[in-house]
Amino acid sequence: MPSTATLAEARDQLARWIDEARRFVIFTGAGISTESGIPDFRGPNGIWTKVNPNQYDFQAYLADPDMRRQRWQLFCEGGIGAAAEPNAAHYAVAELVALGIADCVITQNVDGLHTRSGVPDDRLFDLHGSNRFAKCLSCWTRYPREEALAWPPDPVEGVPLCPRCGGLMKSGGVSFGEPMPPYETAEAIRRSRAADLFLVVGSSLVVYPAAAMPAYAAERGARLVILTIGETPLDRAADLLIEAKAAEFLPGVVEQVKLRRGIA
Ligand code: ZN
């Protein structure tokens, strides 16, 4: 059983597979950011024990100006992750991308920490959007957060209106019941299917369709490695299960890969 491997054995195994891989895709969830002080969603101290998920319902946002006003206020105050800093796991992931070893990062997180740790936009597919930008719900234009924050909310609609088309603005994060961003989703599926090594970091793999990505990869024969605390529905499909904190585990993996590649 893979789960009986020691952490040192798991580190060496993963480093060997990364070194061998031609298309290595990294998929991250809330667990990669818990070491940055951002609570996860579903754990015992998770966000959903403190915040009513109804506040993040898309239909309610469309229907109710007061809901929009509250949500825009939260966005202006920073939202999830505004005060957090990337941790060692984010930097390890960013280094694997920068070295050309990882193909891309697919994330469920809206906290922007992959960007702030140095993953370029064309290597990052944020399936649930990002608090780094605001978007228009009519024409889907994205605006940098700093720019949108300066716009006064419309007194009737509760949120600013799109300068281009007059549509309702919303934070870049995807709410419950809101469609997934089409480009990011299509590209994440394509790259998952093309992967020969797929690493899950810090996701319980229960939120679909994001959680389908590792299944797409495994169906096409990719090696599947799951690094997270707790069980996932895909554990039985995994080639290697690692129960460890990503911020403690991943930097050692990167060091091993660099040793193998002769990178100082
Ligand atoms: Zn617009």
Side-chain angles (χ1 to χ4, degrees), residues 136 138-139 162 164-165 167:
C136 167
S138 296
C139 71
C162 173
R164 180 175 291 182
C165 78

Side-chain angles (χ1 to χ4, degrees), residues 73-159:
Q73 185 62 36
L74 284 173
F75 180 57
C76 291
E77 288 166 5
I80 294 164
E85 296 295 331
N87 65 52
H90 295 102
Y91 288 114
V93 166
E95 188 170 11
L96 290 169
V97 175
L99 290 169
I101 292 169
D103 173 66
C104 68
V105 180
I106 301 169
T107 188
Q108 299 174 283
N109 300 341
V110 300
D111 56 34
L113 295 180
H114 284 303
T115 299
R116 285 170 53 201
S117 63
V119 178
D121 282 351
D122 65 350
R123 296 279 155 176
L124 179 64
F125 303 97
D126 34 28
L127 295 176
H128 295 163
S130 170
N131 283 331
R132 291 178 295 118
F133 60 85
K135 68 191 172 210
C136 167
L137 293 180
S138 296
C139 71
W140 301 102
T141 303
R142 291 180 173 194
Y143 301 92
R145 175 190 157 75
E146 299 72 32
E147 190 181 335
L149 291 186
W151 302 338
D154 179 85
V156 176
E157 301 291 358
V159 294

